[in-house]
Amino acid sequence: MSGDFTEIGRALPRKEDRRLVSGRGRYLDDLAFPGALHVSFVRSPHAHARILDIDSAEAAEMPGVVGIFTGRDLDQMTTRLRLAPPIEGLQPTELTTLPIEKVRFHGDPVVCVVATDRYLAEDAAECVTVEYDQLPAVTSITEAFAPDAALVDDSLTSNMVSHQSLCVGDPAARRAEAHRVVEARFSLHRHTHVPLETRGCVADWDDGRAHLNMHIGNQVPHPLRSQLAARLGLSESQVTVMSPDVGGAFGQKIALYREELTVAALSRHLRRPVRWREDRMENLMSAAHAREYECRTRTSVSETGRILGLELEIDEDFGGYCFYPANYMARVIALIMTGPYRIQDYAYEVRVALTNKCGAGPMRAPMAITSWVMEGTIDAIARDLDLDPVEVRRINALGPEDLPYKMPTGELLEDVSPRETLEIAVDAIDVAAFRARQAQARAKGRYLGLGLCTVIESTTYGSEFYKSAGIPGSGHESAWVRIEPSGAVNASVGLMGTGQGYESPLSQAVAEGLGVRSEDVTVHMGNTNIAPYGMGSRGGRGATAGGGTLYLCALKARERVLAIAASMLDLNDAGGLRMRAGQIERMIGEDWQETGLALTDIARRAYLDPLALPEGITPGLDFSHSYDPPAMTYSNSTHACEVEVDPQTGAITIDRYLVAEDSGTVLNPIVVRGQQQGAIAMGLSGALLEQVIYDGTGQNLSATLADYLVASPNELPEFEILHHNTPNRRTPAGIKGMAEGGVMGAIGVLANAVSDALAPRGVTIERLPLTPQSIRALLREAAPSSTKRTQP
Amino acid sequence: MKPAPFTYHRPASLAEALALLRTHGPAAKPIAGGQSLGPMLNMRLARPGHLVDLNDLIELDRVRVKDDMLEIGALTRHHRLANAPEVQRSLPLLGAAAASIGHYAIRQRGTIGGSLAHADPAAQLPLIAVTLGATLVISGPAGTREVAAADFLQSIMTVDLRDGELITALRFPLPVGDLWAFEAFSRRHGDFALVSVALSFARDAEGKIDALRLGLGGVDTVPLRLPEIEARAQGRLVDVDTIRDLAAAAAAAIAPEDSEQVPAVYRRELAETLVIRAFQSALTREEGA
Amino acid sequence: MTAPTHDPLTLSLSVNGETHDVRVPARKLLSDVLRDDLGLTGTHVGCEHGVCGACTVLIDGRPARACLTFAAQMEGHEVTTVEAMGRPDALSALQQALHEEHGLQCGFCTPGIVVTFEHYLRENPDPTAEEVRDVLSGNLCRCTGYQNIVAAVLKAAARMRGEAA
């Protein structure tokens, strides 16, 4: 299918690069606003405390200070965020723009100091005195669910902010008839996104027009505008959101955060531009965290390892505030858990806890733990039954004959290839040869391990998904394509890239649909006055929703262009015409031949000589289109990696890493490969190094980049990527989403590889991150011989 | 993360720097490479009223071998130290340790004096200085004094440096044994080590250990030299049993801090492993030479 | 003991071969002065504690963290920023290789990497991949996984040595 494309699939280097590589990108802090005021937030030193008194008298007199504002002040300028979607088991929540009564985590913003520069704002912030009455801090899921737990949110009846369950088929019956019931546990630690550019915004209130210009690096400009307008009591006509170049987001730049709303409200209040750029300590402590889960599986299996039924429990630590409905991330995990395997009897229970930590949000692959849980379960089955883990995968994996496959949750898998990517990966890593090397190494006291992890990656999230999930929102996308009088091609879509490199692949989608060169298309994104209302960038929807809509819109434009061309060539219809690289060609005999007519000629006619247009064709070349993609498009992949564990230090070395990927039609292989590499790197970094650490009193101990460890090049391997792309037959051009599956696979494959390495010692990895000290702790407790032992 | 206000001073000579430090007393803080002090200033963990910039004191940027001593000026940058021919010839252990400090850009700016004054218990240079019995040359209101590195380093970020004093040089006695190794274990490349080991020794005609110097970093509030282990090694053949015995004894001799993140038992295990690896690495290097 | 004075200093700074006079407080970081006072916004601020490497500039030709340096310290020294190392329409060999090898995504860390390796490759024209990774360890990148950056540096090195690559 992709063989028919001329622009889609080209390895076109990124259009963004020239400005970015030469230091001429324009990120938020690079935008100059004369006279702009700077803010600094006074943040809570406590995890949980009542605010008794705020004394800012001394600070207010300090040089450069323009104003000092508290939660009570902001409550007059903004409305509260109420999240109450009609989802069974979800408690409604409401929060003020800044806390008024109490703080809920270490780093909670309490007071906003506005001054003429950031240095002076920080000087004054130090002098604001807040008197607190400390409350018991809830710092774990267990504590949150304890009967006598302190309430994180006083308006709720318990800390269990969300609780859902589902039972399909009869898992209990399967358990009764099973050859064996295999139990496994998985504990994933708290991560944070660490975009190299932290959050920030410039709010520029235009007092004459009563209009807010909000400059902010954000993934979803239009939904953000809706939020800003609603919370400030403005109409959507009174707010423009403009996103400049963005230094990474990974899910951290979706919500309207309290700091950003505060800055916007204060710009309007003070009638001055106000700016905030969060520093790194604020980012690590207070922006958003992610991924803290405890999962348990109970799997009923036959003698051959065939899965008869699966029961899953997920508990999530959601932190102190809900910026998203609390069921949001964990639900997707439960929804797609069975993933690449034939399972019909399935039950899940999902519980979400509020704790006195930074609020959780989606982070690149919000469902990241899924593949580790499923693939770790597969390995647990193999261990328990003494079967080959590859064989257990084979007899359970979905093959072509099973498709389309309706998962027990109702999710539909089609045009996926989990069994194929498994075989490609198994073959490429040469499992048999590895086992021989492993046996030799073990004889010498060396611990080599091989992991496998097959991923079913949910992407795109069409409106049908939101409807069935009961979440307000839509998954459609809108685009426009405009051919200017000169023949220049402009286009726009509601996405906003945050570093992925949208400009080339999206211009390729337009170029393909229209019949021009990608180099001649410019795609405009991030300005809500220019772009059509769209749902933005999240959930791997850029390619299918964004690229797909642009492609369809460009097809519409092409139809009009060819109709005008036909009339200019005195043809009855456009049937024998096409446009390639902006030149109109005509099929004569068996060959496409040049007509001498170009897009520029047609544009001139459309704009400057409209009376010459054929009847029924309106002047100009301006097109818009919207498109609602399928509920979900699924990509898949199988990761394989070899590790060596140093039993003396607990250090893990990744000796080889490969992944077989099915990402559907690829708009731009350079960009897709970069996304695959980056996602795997993020997964490995998280599994090996990263960890948000709170102590027992809720103090954040990981607020610098010397404490929150992100992988350097020396901890990461080279990635071998093998392609097995199956176009999706239900989307324009066969596009699927991608860019999150690498995280899912990396976490699972690494944990499985380390468990395999340590199998002679009976050690199984149930808890991440895989720090050397944690590996040593497991080995210390393990008997020297093969007595099974798991993590504490 | 912006520093609190201070008055900036830029003395042109050591005398001028000392005069400024004397004038402003405890309110003054010297800055050289700024690779450790800079983050503390930005986080306002350090808030001196007066910052005295030593970067113009180029007379303190020097490496020289004099008789039985290698002298390194306090303003010598790690990158220069790592690459100086004098260091590679006379004290390659020091060069190797310096080459492992932080990252490339950090080593271009960071100075030996700054590293010693900052006294991170896991830092490379304090460990090498203690292990090899180096002395610091310190100038101050009362003139110039010399103090052994082991006495200078008192605790975490606490050193024997009085008001108005500056480190001007570090002196290593020469020669040292020609077998050496530096082993460090850190979570990431370039991070401060969880545990590090420096050792140096010679072998006599019969292949027996002579003049072992063994130091461990990251296992206490200051880097530790282990004289009992050094004595235990004297005159023994460097074989597997000796190495294991010394490593076990070294691990037993330390009492690292115990924390939830890094338990004491783990640091002790690392110490034992790294001592073994250091001996192996020293012997391997000699075989290769 | 004299009281601290917080009056702005008048500094004469030599940046990218040009002399600039600025009036800034002593405590103002070089990264902030380059960006706010000189408009050289290619030097990015990523952590302000010397870890991420995004703000790396050259001081007298050698890489240094601008966030750990005060502008006041730079009188009498030459500062070079990414702006001096190529333009969008005239990329350096290293920048061109980063483009071709997809060695950047969001681009926020990229100026620090360009500055570090423009210097490093002059002193080390034929590095191994391992040496490149060692030097690159001082520049955090959250997007790429580093593989393509290493490839780009090696490609640029080969080209700068005059080899076809």
Side-chain angles (χ1 to χ4, degrees):
Chain A
M1 185 168 180
S2 55
D4 299 338
F5 295 131
T6 57
E7 294 296 327
I8 286 179
R10 270 179 71 194
L12 183 67
R14 302 194 325 162
K15 296 183 173 189
E16 296 87 343
D17 288 352
R18 290 186 174 279
R19 67 177 188 269
L20 302 184
V21 82
S22 60
R24 268 77 172 185
R26 288 194 179 178
Y27 301 87
L28 182 82
D29 262 359
D30 306 340
L31 309 176
F33 291 84
L37 301 170
H38 293 249
V39 309
S40 175
F41 290 91
V42 177
R43 294 181 181 275
S44 168
H46 306 299
H48 197 192
R50 287 205 186 284
I51 301 169
L52 298 180
D53 185 52
I54 298 174
D55 180 358
S56 57
E58 182 194 346
E61 297 305 314
M62 292 182 61
V65 174
V66 173
I68 296 176
F69 301 90
T70 66
R72 283 191 201 289
D73 300 322
L74 268 302
D75 209 33
Q76 304 299 310
M77 305 176 201
T78 55
T79 63
R80 299 178 178 192
L81 174 66
R82 185 168 170 79
L83 285 183
I87 295 171
E88 199 190 330
L90 179 71
Q91 297 200 56
T93 57
E94 182 177 278
L95 59 116
T96 56
T97 299
L98 291 179
I100 296 172
E101 301 294 338
K102 70 171 191 177
V103 291
R104 297 195 203 167
F105 73 97
H106 177 203
D108 211 349
V110 181
V111 176
C112 181
V113 176
V114 186
T116 50
D117 79 31
R118 172 81 185 200
Y119 289 76
L120 297 173
E122 289 193 20
D123 292 347
E126 282 188 312
C127 293
V128 174
T129 312
V130 184
E131 199 184 323
Y132 295 100
D133 178 21
Q134 282 197 66
L135 299 167
V138 177
T139 59
S140 69
I141 295 168
T142 311
E143 283 175 27
F145 292 160
D148 56 346
L151 274 181
V152 175
D153 183 335
D154 295 334
S155 72
L156 304 188
T157 54
S158 79
N159 291 323
M160 198 183 296
V161 64
S162 182
H163 185 193
Q164 281 92 24
S165 57
L166 176 81
C167 185
V168 179
D170 194 346
R174 299 294 86 75
R175 209 184 319 129
E177 68 202 28
H179 167 70
R180 188 80 64 89
V181 176
V182 178
E183 301 201 355
R185 306 171 72 89
F186 307 88
S187 170
L188 189 60
H189 55 293
R190 190 165 264 256
H191 292 56
T192 185
H193 311 63
V194 199
L196 256 283
E197 183 191 30
T198 55
R199 296 178 300 160
C201 62
V202 182
D204 185 12
W205 176 254
D206 180 338
D207 203 37
R209 290 186 169 82
H211 191 97
L212 176 70
N213 290 305
M214 187 73 168
H215 303 265
I216 179 169
N218 189 273
Q219 300 170 233
V220 297
H222 287 97
L224 189 83
R225 185 188 70 179
S226 300
Q227 281 269 316
L228 266 173
R231 306 267 320 262
L232 291 165
L234 298 169
S235 89
E236 283 182 288
S237 309
Q238 287 177 285
V239 180
T240 303
V241 170
M242 283 164 275
S243 190
D245 284 327
V246 186
F250 313 110
Q252 200 174 66
K253 297 173 182 173
I254 294 174
L256 171 62
Y257 289 99
R258 297 175 298 166
E259 293 94 337
E260 296 155 358
L261 179 60
T262 298
V263 169
L266 293 177
S267 174
R268 183 188 187 190
H269 177 74
L270 297 165
R271 301 184 173 88
R272 300 265 302 267
V274 179
R275 66 192 309 163
W276 170 63
R277 169 87 193 283
E278 134 185 282
D279 67 36
R280 183 55 69 185
M281 291 176 77
E282 293 181 283
N283 179 260
L284 291 169
M285 274 172 85
S286 313
H289 292 168
R291 304 218 203 293
E292 191 171 2
Y293 295 100
E294 304 278 344
C295 294
R296 292 164 294 279
T297 59
R298 190 155 58 166
T299 315
S300 305
V301 292
S302 75
E303 214 167 343
T304 59
R306 177 80 185 92
I307 298 172
L308 309 173
L310 175 69
E311 294 159 273
L312 166 73
E313 290 172 20
I314 305 176
D315 288 341
E316 180 180 6
D317 182 330
F318 211 67
Y321 292 103
C322 297
F323 298 105
Y324 301 86
N327 68 324
Y328 169 55
M329 279 93 73
R331 186 184 186 285
V332 176
I333 295 168
L335 189 76
I336 65 166
M337 179 55 67
T338 58
Y341 299 112
R342 273 178 291 122
I343 299 171
Q344 282 302 323
D345 296 76
Y346 174 59
Y348 68 69
E349 181 173 15
V350 179
R351 306 187 302 171
V352 181
L354 289 186
T355 59
N356 290 114
K357 304 180 189 172
C358 178
M363 174 172 166
R364 187 182 205 167
M367 64 303 200
I369 194 175
T370 310
S371 301
W372 178 33
V373 173
M374 194 61 236
E375 292 287 306
T377 296
I378 292 274
D379 278 2
I381 294 167
R383 259 194 314 276
D384 252 34
L385 273 59
D386 203 17
L387 297 171
D388 177 354
V390 176
E391 287 306 322
V392 177
R393 285 175 170 81
R394 281 186 178 133
I395 68 159
N396 287 293
L398 294 167
E401 69 280 7
D402 300 308
L403 301 178
Y405 185 78
K406 197 166 188 183
M407 294 160 76
T409 51
E411 285 296 296
L412 190 69
L413 291 174
E414 48 190 348
D415 301 323
V416 292
S417 55
R419 197 189 291 160
E420 291 89 330
T421 55
L422 171 67
E423 296 300 344
I424 292 168
V426 163
D427 196 43
I429 201 123
D430 196 346
V431 175
F434 173 82
R435 292 295 173 209
R437 280 202 307 285
Q438 183 182 44
Q440 286 170 359
R442 280 180 179 168
K444 293 182 198 149
R446 288 174 58 196
Y447 293 82
L448 271 56
L450 172 73
L452 291 170
C453 187
T454 297
V455 176
I456 288 282
E457 176 186 1
S458 49
T459 68
T460 302
Y461 299 81
S463 297
E464 216 180 306
F465 165 78
Y466 287 92
K467 190 171 181 206
S468 65
I471 301 172
S474 162
H476 80 277
E477 194 55 53
S478 299
W480 58 252
V481 171
R482 198 160 65 220
I483 300 150
E484 308 294 347
S486 64
V489 181
N490 283 310
S492 184
V493 67
L495 305 176
M496 181 56 208
T498 51
Q500 302 92 328
Y502 280 165
E503 293 177 23
S504 291
L506 293 182
S507 64
Q508 287 171 268
V510 173
E512 185 68 51
L514 181 59
V516 296
R517 296 188 322 144
S518 306
E519 290 84 342
D520 297 330
V521 176
T522 304
V523 182
H524 304 265
M525 284 167 286
N527 184 320
T528 54
N529 286 358
I530 294 169
Y533 197 107
M535 298 306 151
S537 297
R538 57 195 300 179
R541 68 190 299 278
T544 312
T549 310
L550 281 166
Y551 176 69
L552 294 173
C553 190
L555 285 176
K556 206 188 240 186
R558 176 170 70 180
E559 193 183 341
R560 177 83 63 84
V561 166
L562 292 181
I564 297 172
S567 86
M568 290 172 78
L569 293 167
D570 291 325
L571 301 170
N572 289 335
D573 62 57
L577 295 180
R578 73 173 189 185
M579 185 159 68
R580 280 287 160 91
Q583 301 293 321
I584 303 294
E585 296 173 358
R586 184 177 177 191
M587 177 73 87
I588 296 176
E590 298 283 293
D591 296 323
W592 288 103
Q593 297 191 359
E594 288 184 9
T595 61
L597 201 60
L599 182 60
T600 50
D601 305 311
I602 292 156
R604 204 176 306 120
R605 169 75 54 103
Y607 281 94
L608 305 176
D609 194 6
L611 297 178
L613 289 171
E615 206 179 309
I617 291 190
T618 52
L621 290 170
D622 205 341
F623 309 89
S624 61
H625 190 80
S626 54
Y627 164 64
D628 201 345
M632 207 72 93
T633 61
Y634 283 97
S635 291
N636 63 275
S637 57
T638 300
H639 296 240
C641 101
E642 297 180 20
V643 299
E644 177 160 6
V645 180
D646 178 342
Q648 266 75 48
T649 62
I652 295 163
T653 310
I654 301 171
D655 291 329
R656 190 172 177 205
Y657 197 107
L658 67 84
V659 56
E661 285 257 359
D662 184 342
S663 315
T665 298
V666 168
L667 289 173
N668 180 320
I670 293 179
V671 169
V672 164
R673 183 162 161 267
Q675 290 302 304
Q676 288 161 340
Q677 292 171 343
I680 295 168
M682 184 171 276
L684 294 177
S685 177
L688 285 171
L689 293 158
E690 298 173 31
Q691 186 175 20
V692 176
I693 300 168
Y694 284 97
D695 72 10
T697 67
Q699 289 290 303
N700 187 319
L701 305 180
S702 48
T704 77
L705 286 179
D707 300 294
Y708 189 86
L709 307 181
V710 174
S712 89
N714 299 77
E715 289 76 51
L716 296 174
E718 298 255 321
F719 312 114
E720 301 165 47
I721 300 174
L722 307 163
H723 301 284
H724 177 78
N725 291 333
T726 315
N728 185 309
R729 283 167 293 185
R730 293 218 292 147
T731 63
I735 304 167
K736 299 172 182 172
M738 53 84 54
E740 296 193 323
V743 179
M744 306 170 73
I747 294 173
V749 80
L750 191 69
N752 286 351
V754 173
S755 290
D756 183 53
L758 300 180
R761 302 287 296 274
V763 168
T764 303
I765 299 302
E766 296 187 332
R767 182 173 292 279
L768 298 183
L770 297 165
T771 65
Q773 53 268 46
S774 74
I775 297 293
R776 270 304 308 156
L778 289 170
L779 288 171
R780 207 180 296 128
E781 289 158 21
S785 61
S786 181
T787 313
K788 298 221 168 182
R789 191 66 75 115
T790 53
Q791 279 169 301
Chain B
M1 281 173 77
K2 306 294 184 190
F6 53 76
T7 301
Y8 175 71
H9 305 274
R10 189 160 164 182
S13 67
L14 179 60
E16 200 186 321
L18 290 169
L20 280 163
L21 292 175
R22 192 163 56 238
T23 305
H24 299 295
K29 184 93 186 163
I31 187 167
Q35 303 303 290
S36 302
L37 182 58
M40 296 178 69
L41 290 169
N42 290 359
M43 294 178 195
R44 301 195 180 201
L45 297 171
R47 34 195 326 149
H50 296 265
L51 199 64
V52 179
D53 187 348
L54 306 180
N55 282 287
D56 283 355
L57 310 187
I58 46 171
E59 69 265 35
L60 300 184
D61 180 2
R62 60 165 195 267
V63 177
R64 67 181 174 202
V65 176
K66 211 171 74 179
D67 307 326
D68 54 355
M69 175 179 81
L70 171 70
E71 185 180 276
I72 300 149
L75 198 66
T76 307
R77 320 268 170 187
H78 306 320
H79 183 75
R80 175 168 176 202
L81 188 59
N83 292 285
E86 301 90 332
V87 176
Q88 292 184 344
R89 270 196 306 273
S90 63
L91 260 190
L93 167 59
L94 176 63
S100 77
I101 297 173
H103 304 284
Y104 185 71
I106 302 293
R107 295 194 291 273
Q108 307 293 329
R109 288 297 285 176
T111 67
I112 181 167
S115 175
L116 288 162
H118 186 64
D120 189 296
Q124 284 89 334
L125 295 179
L127 170 65
I128 305 298
V130 166
T131 305
L132 297 182
T135 55
L136 288 86
V137 183
I138 293 171
S139 292
T144 297
R145 64 184 175 106
E146 279 200 45
V147 57
D151 297 326
F152 175 78
L153 299 160
Q154 295 173 330
S155 185
I156 298 173
M157 295 184 182
T158 308
V159 295
D160 174 20
L161 202 58
R162 299 158 203 163
D163 283 351
E165 284 190 334
L166 270 180
I167 304 167
T168 57
L170 184 62
R171 290 176 176 163
F172 287 91
L174 294 178
V176 296
D178 55 352
L179 283 93
W180 61 273
F182 174 72
E183 291 285 325
F185 185 85
S186 56
R187 294 286 306 278
R188 286 180 307 184
H189 189 76
D191 282 348
F192 275 118
L194 291 172
V195 173
S196 50
V197 170
L199 62 76
S200 147
F201 62 98
R203 280 201 290 185
D204 65 16
E206 295 159 34
K208 290 174 177 165
I209 299 176
D210 182 39
L212 173 68
R213 300 282 176 270
L214 175 64
L216 269 64
V219 299
D220 209 319
T221 58
V222 289
L224 292 185
R225 182 174 159 188
L226 300 176
E228 323 82 65
I229 313 298
E230 295 174 357
R232 191 184 180 107
Q234 185 65 27
R236 289 173 68 177
L237 277 174
V238 210
D239 55 20
V240 174
D241 289 340
T242 302
I243 292 171
R244 286 208 177 131
D245 171 66
L246 296 174
I254 56 174
E257 187 202 9
D258 193 41
S259 74
E260 202 179 325
Q261 298 312 317
V262 190
V265 59
Y266 180 63
R267 286 193 202 266
R268 219 178 282 117
E269 289 171 349
L270 275 184
E272 184 167 354
T273 298
L274 295 182
V275 169
I276 292 171
R277 289 184 185 176
F279 272 109
Q280 288 167 342
S281 140
L283 294 171
T284 308
R285 187 180 309 100
E286 193 198 33
E287 282 162 20
Chain C
M1 178 170 155
T2 57
T5 56
H6 302 151
D7 295 339
L9 307 174
T10 302
L11 305 177
S12 179
L13 300 178
S14 177
V15 180
N16 300 337
E18 284 180 33
T19 304
H20 303 264
D21 293 324
V22 294
R23 233 178 117 62
V24 297
R27 63 166 158 165
K28 195 160 184 182
L29 299 170
L30 176 61
S31 42
D32 286 339
V33 172
L34 289 171
R35 297 176 47 80
D36 302 348
D37 298 270
L38 304 184
L40 296 169
T41 55
T43 301
H44 294 159
V45 174
C47 76
E48 293 181 306
H49 51 285
V51 180
C52 80
C55 69
T56 306
V57 297
L58 300 183
I59 297 175
D60 298 330
R62 311 201 70 85
R65 306 292 202 228
C67 77
L68 301 183
T69 310
F70 299 103
Q73 297 181 280
M74 288 299 101
E75 277 198 311
H77 296 279
E78 174 65 33
V79 177
T80 311
T81 69
V82 68
E83 281 87 352
M85 293 170 180
R87 291 187 38 78
D89 55 0
L91 299 181
S92 71
L94 175 60
Q95 291 167 331
Q96 180 65 28
L98 283 163
H99 173 54
E100 291 171 12
E101 293 296 315
H102 191 20
L104 67 152
Q105 289 184 27
C106 81
F108 202 79
C109 70
T110 310
I113 290 170
V114 168
V115 167
T116 302
F117 281 95
E118 291 283 359
H119 159 80
Y120 179 78
L121 290 180
R122 275 203 305 277
E123 294 203 343
N124 304 273
D126 193 6
T128 63
E130 196 186 346
E131 287 164 342
V132 171
R133 281 186 182 258
D134 173 54
V135 175
L136 187 57
S137 69
N139 295 82
L140 290 182
C141 168
R142 191 59 160 159
C143 298
T144 64
Y146 303 104
Q147 184 171 342
N148 295 352
I149 303 176
V150 175
V153 173
L154 293 173
K155 185 180 200 175
R159 281 187 183 156
M160 290 159 75
R161 291 193 305 269
E163 297 164 20

